[in-house]
Amino acid sequence: MSDLKTVKLESDQSRTLKKAIRELKPIQIWDWLFRSCELNGRVLLSEGVITAEDLEECIDKGKCKKLSIRLPAWCILQCLLRSAKLHVNGLLISDGVELTDFTWPKDKVLEWLFGPLVIMKEQMKGLHLDENEESCLRTLIMANSNERPEDWEGSGFSSGDMVRRAQLRAILRRLQGMVASLSILPTFRRRFNSLVKSLYVDAVEVGGLSMEDVHPRIKGKLAALLEERRNHDKNNEKENCNVELV
């Protein structure tokens, strides 16, 4: 009897998960992408892959082309590598959440993305990348244009197989091109600009960037962003206190 209850519970949980995946909306894909950009952006910022100058160019001059393509492409690449390594049919965007052709949102803006991404994932799976190659791909998609074979010189990519390199270079170029198409959308631009400001505030708050190093034209904007962050944190603390009191 206990076994039957366990099976029923697992079946109910499975149906609940499938239902949740079926009901994914376009906004949830955007949320995943920008949450991934936020978390990975902090890591890349701490490692010096993303610099304060990169963020300042976005905030002060509106020059986000490099960062707005390479950071999201880095995050999607990470998704593709993990999905390929775990041999899932679709795309694993988080633990327990796999997107397939049936669960991907039927949205005019996003529906053209899924097929090419799955193809790239399958290509990577077929190449059986080792850890060194995966690490190099992450570096290359952030640092280089990947337009010419020479772009990979000195990258530390272990394989000297030129055909293999050409295949991977084509994947990175295609991925960057897809993100470039996304980056012109108003929703993308608005959310990415907000993300950049958040990363810049993070850099100041963790001590990676001092106020003395901040460009004079940005100091006023930064002060407003810091105040906004403090108010947001205070509101969250009040909400948590109210929940505890209830």
Side-chain angles (χ1 to χ4, degrees):
M1 188 67 177
S2 176
D3 290 341
L4 289 175
K5 287 183 178 179
T6 301
V7 170
K8 185 177 185 303
L9 178 60
E10 290 177 350
S11 178
D12 290 342
Q13 290 174 336
S14 177
R15 282 197 297 270
T16 300
L17 177 58
K18 289 178 180 177
K19 182 179 179 182
I21 294 176
R22 279 201 302 271
E23 293 177 353
L24 277 177
K25 296 178 174 60
I27 187 65
Q28 292 172 287
I29 302 298
W30 288 115
D31 287 345
W32 162 75
L33 177 59
F34 284 100
R35 179 59 175 164
S36 180
C37 285
E38 180 183 4
L39 296 176
N40 290 306
R42 288 173 181 169
V43 175
L44 295 173
L45 184 61
S46 68
E47 293 176 348
V49 178
I50 295 174
T51 66
E53 288 75 17
D54 293 329
L55 301 176
E56 286 175 350
E57 279 195 344
C58 281
I59 297 172
D60 182 40
K61 302 177 182 178
K63 295 181 178 179
C64 298
K65 185 175 180 181
K66 181 179 78 171
L67 194 58
S68 66
I69 293 174
R70 294 183 182 180
L71 176 56
W74 191 101
C75 296
I76 297 174
L77 173 64
Q78 179 69 6
C79 169
L80 298 179
L81 291 172
R82 183 170 65 158
S83 300
K85 182 173 289 187
L86 295 177
H87 300 283
V88 298
N89 293 323
L91 301 175
L92 193 63
I93 62 172
S94 63
D95 293 338
V97 180
E98 178 187 347
L99 290 173
T100 68
D101 188 42
F102 299 103
T103 59
W104 184 268
K106 300 301 183 285
D107 175 76
K108 290 181 180 179
V109 175
L110 295 174
E111 64 181 353
W112 61 273
L113 281 173
F114 183 76
L117 289 177
V118 171
I119 290 173
M120 285 186 273
K121 183 260 299 183
E122 290 298 324
Q123 289 174 325
M124 291 179 178
K125 185 192 296 185
L127 290 170
H128 304 289
L129 302 171
D130 60 32
E131 290 186 5
N132 171 269
E133 290 174 324
E134 290 183 0
S135 178
C136 282
L137 289 180
R138 295 187 189 97
T139 300
L140 287 163
I141 204 164
M142 286 296 295
N144 296 327
S145 62
N146 299 299
E147 292 293 335
R148 303 167 301 171
E150 304 87 75
D151 291 336
W152 283 32
E153 295 302 324
S155 66
F157 193 78
S158 57
S159 175
D161 186 334
M162 298 308 293
V163 174
R164 185 180 182 85
R165 286 189 172 209
Q167 288 175 312
L168 290 169
R169 200 168 63 251
I171 290 173
L172 296 191
R173 281 203 311 272
R174 189 177 187 188
L175 179 54
Q176 288 176 323
M178 292 170 68
V179 175
S181 297
L182 282 178
S183 69
I184 66 176
L185 299 173
T187 298
F188 184 102
R189 291 202 304 269
R190 182 176 65 254
R191 294 192 64 162
F192 193 82
N193 287 338
S194 177
L195 167 68
V196 168
K197 293 173 183 177
S198 178
L199 289 176
Y200 199 72
V201 171
D202 288 339
V204 173
E205 289 187 333
V206 301
L209 182 69
S210 68
M211 288 298 290
E212 288 73 19
D213 296 327
V214 175
H215 195 284
R217 289 198 300 268
I218 299 180
K219 282 189 176 181
K221 295 179 181 178
L222 179 59
L225 291 171
L226 287 168
E227 183 63 24
E228 183 180 335
R229 172 72 64 87
R230 293 190 190 100
N231 290 335
H232 182 268
D233 292 343
K234 286 179 181 178
N235 290 334
N236 283 342
E237 288 178 6
K238 288 180 181 178
E239 289 177 4
N240 291 335
C241 287
N242 290 335
V243 170
E244 290 175 2
L245 288 173
V246 172

